[in-house]
Coordinates of all heavy atoms in Angstrom, one line a residue:
F1 N 100.8 122.8 86.4 CA 99.7 121.8 86.7 C 100.1 120.6 87.4 O 99.6 120.1 88.4 CB 98.9 121.5 85.4 CG 97.7 120.6 85.6 CD1 96.5 121.3 86.0 CD2 97.7 119.2 85.5 CE1 95.4 120.6 86.1 CE2 96.6 118.5 85.7 CZ 95.4 119.2 86.0
Y2 N 101.2 120.0 86.8 CA 101.8 118.8 87.4 C 102.3 119.0 88.9 O 102.1 118.2 89.7 CB 102.9 118.2 86.5 CG 102.4 117.3 85.5 CD1 101.1 117.3 85.0 CD2 103.3 116.5 84.7 CE1 100.7 116.6 84.0 CE2 102.8 115.7 83.7 CZ 101.5 115.7 83.2 OH 101.0 114.9 82.3
K3 N 102.9 120.2 89.0 CA 103.4 120.5 90.3 C 102.3 120.6 91.4 O 102.5 120.1 92.5 CB 104.1 121.9 90.3 CG 105.5 121.9 89.9 CD 106.1 123.3 90.1 CE 107.2 123.6 89.0 NZ 107.7 125.0 89.1
K4 N 101.2 121.1 90.9 CA 100.0 121.3 91.8 C 99.3 120.0 92.1 O 99.0 119.7 93.2 CB 99.1 122.3 91.2 CG 97.8 122.5 91.9 CD 97.8 123.1 93.3 CE 96.5 123.4 93.9 NZ 96.5 123.8 95.2
Y5 N 99.0 119.2 91.0 CA 98.1 118.1 91.2 C 98.8 116.7 91.1 O 98.2 115.6 91.4 CB 97.1 118.2 90.1 CG 96.1 119.3 90.4 CD1 96.2 120.5 89.6 CD2 95.1 119.1 91.2 CE1 95.3 121.5 89.9 CE2 94.3 120.2 91.6 CZ 94.4 121.3 90.9 OH 93.5 122.4 91.2
F6 N 100.1 116.7 90.7 CA 100.8 115.4 90.8 C 102.2 115.6 91.4 O 103.1 116.1 90.8 CB 101.0 114.9 89.4 CG 99.7 114.5 88.7 CD1 99.2 115.4 87.7 CD2 99.1 113.4 88.9 CE1 98.0 115.2 87.1 CE2 97.8 113.1 88.3 CZ 97.3 114.0 87.4
P7 N 102.3 115.5 92.7 CA 103.5 115.7 93.5 C 104.7 114.9 92.9 O 104.5 113.9 92.2 CB 103.2 115.3 94.9 CG 101.7 115.2 95.0 CD 101.2 115.0 93.6
R8 N 105.8 115.4 93.1 CA 107.1 114.8 92.6 C 107.1 113.2 92.9 O 107.4 112.5 92.0 CB 108.3 115.4 93.2 CG 109.6 114.9 92.6 CD 110.7 115.7 93.1 NE 112.0 115.0 92.8 CZ 113.0 115.2 93.5 NH1 113.1 116.1 94.5 NH2 114.2 114.5 93.2
A9 N 106.8 112.8 94.0 CA 106.9 111.5 94.4 C 105.9 110.6 93.6 O 106.2 109.5 93.1 CB 106.5 111.3 95.8
T10 N 104.7 111.1 93.3 CA 103.7 110.5 92.4 C 104.2 110.4 91.0 O 104.1 109.3 90.4 CB 102.4 111.3 92.4 OG1 101.9 111.4 93.8 CG2 101.3 110.6 91.6
R11 N 104.7 111.4 90.5 CA 105.3 111.4 89.1 C 106.4 110.5 89.0 O 106.5 109.6 88.0 CB 105.8 112.8 88.7 CG 104.6 113.8 88.5 CD 105.1 115.1 87.8 NE 106.3 115.7 88.3 CZ 106.4 116.7 89.2 NH1 105.2 117.2 89.7 NH2 107.4 117.1 89.6
E12 N 107.3 110.4 90.0 CA 108.4 109.4 89.9 C 107.8 107.9 90.1 O 108.4 107.0 89.4 CB 109.4 109.7 91.0 CG 110.1 111.0 90.8 CD 111.0 111.4 92.0 OE1 111.0 110.7 93.1 OE2 111.8 112.3 91.8
A13 N 106.8 107.7 90.8 CA 106.2 106.4 90.9 C 105.6 106.0 89.6 O 105.7 104.9 89.2 CB 105.2 106.4 92.0
K14 N 104.9 106.9 89.0 CA 104.4 106.6 87.6 C 105.4 106.3 86.6 O 105.3 105.5 85.8 CB 103.5 107.8 87.1 CG 102.3 108.1 88.0 CD 101.1 107.1 87.7 CE 99.9 107.4 88.4 NZ 98.9 106.4 88.2
E15 N 106.5 107.1 86.7 CA 107.6 106.9 85.7 C 108.2 105.5 85.9 O 108.5 104.8 85.0 CB 108.6 108.0 85.9 CG 109.7 108.0 84.7 CD 110.5 109.2 84.6 OE1 110.4 110.0 85.5 OE2 111.2 109.3 83.6
M16 N 108.4 105.1 87.2 CA 108.9 103.8 87.5 C 107.9 102.7 87.0 O 108.4 101.7 86.5 CB 109.1 103.6 89.0 CG 109.8 102.3 89.4 SD 111.4 102.0 88.7 CE 112.3 103.3 89.6
E17 N 106.7 102.9 87.2 CA 105.6 102.0 86.7 C 105.7 101.9 85.2 O 105.7 100.7 84.7 CB 104.3 102.5 87.1 CG 103.2 101.5 86.8 CD 101.8 101.9 87.3 OE1 101.7 103.0 88.0 OE2 100.8 101.3 86.8
L18 N 106.0 102.9 84.5 CA 106.2 102.8 83.0 C 107.4 102.0 82.7 O 107.4 101.2 81.7 CB 106.3 104.3 82.4 CG 106.6 104.4 81.0 CD1 105.5 103.7 80.1 CD2 106.9 105.8 80.6
M19 N 108.5 102.2 83.4 CA 109.7 101.5 83.1 C 109.6 100.0 83.3 O 110.2 99.2 82.6 CB 110.9 102.0 84.0 CG 111.1 103.5 83.7 SD 111.3 103.9 82.0 CE 112.9 103.9 81.7
Q20 N 108.7 99.6 84.2 CA 108.5 98.1 84.5 C 107.3 97.6 83.7 O 107.0 96.4 83.9 CB 108.4 98.0 86.0 CG 109.6 98.4 86.7 CD 109.4 98.4 88.3 OE1 108.2 98.2 88.8 NE2 110.5 98.6 89.0
L21 N 106.5 98.4 83.0 CA 105.2 98.0 82.4 C 105.5 96.9 81.4 O 106.4 96.9 80.6 CB 104.6 99.2 81.8 CG 103.2 98.9 81.1 CD1 102.2 98.4 82.2 CD2 102.7 100.1 80.3
K22 N 104.7 95.8 81.5 CA 104.7 94.7 80.6 C 103.2 94.4 80.2 O 102.3 94.6 81.1 CB 105.3 93.4 81.2 CG 106.7 93.4 81.6 CD 107.5 93.5 80.4 CE 109.0 93.5 80.9 NZ 110.0 93.9 79.9
Q23 N 103.0 93.9 79.0 CA 101.6 93.6 78.7 C 100.9 92.7 79.5 O 99.7 92.8 79.9 CB 101.5 93.3 77.2 CG 100.1 93.1 76.7 CD 100.1 92.5 75.3 OE1 101.1 92.2 74.7 NE2 98.8 92.4 74.7
G24 N 101.5 91.6 79.8 CA 100.9 90.4 80.5 C 99.6 90.0 80.0 O 99.5 89.7 78.7
S25 N 98.6 90.0 80.8 CA 97.3 89.5 80.3 C 96.4 90.6 79.7 O 95.3 90.4 79.4 CB 96.5 88.8 81.5 OG 96.3 89.9 82.5
M26 N 96.9 91.8 79.6 CA 96.1 92.9 79.0 C 96.0 92.7 77.6 O 96.9 92.2 76.9 CB 96.8 94.3 79.3 CG 96.8 94.8 80.7 SD 97.6 96.5 80.9 CE 99.2 96.0 81.0
S27 N 94.9 93.2 76.9 CA 94.8 93.3 75.5 C 95.8 94.4 75.0 O 96.3 95.2 75.8 CB 93.4 93.6 75.1 OG 93.1 95.0 75.4
V28 N 96.0 94.4 73.6 CA 96.9 95.5 73.1 C 96.2 96.8 73.4 O 97.0 97.8 73.8 CB 97.2 95.3 71.6 CG1 97.8 96.4 70.9 CG2 97.9 94.0 71.4

């Protein structure tokens, strides 16, 4: 499913976003 609907580049970008994620002004 991920291969079909989330290309490798998208998955890598999402993983990088997770690694850099900070709460900032978001609620818990």
Side-chain angles (χ1 to χ4, degrees):
F1 184 82
Y2 278 14
K3 279 185 209 173
K4 171 71 175 169
Y5 291 99
F6 298 100
R8 182 176 167 203
T10 301
R11 290 192 312 264
E12 289 173 355
K14 294 282 187 187
E15 189 161 14
M16 185 61 67
E17 187 177 349
L18 173 63
M19 300 313 264
Q20 297 173 352
L21 183 65
K22 300 284 183 196
Q23 181 184 8
S25 62
M26 291 184 275
S27 69
V28 170

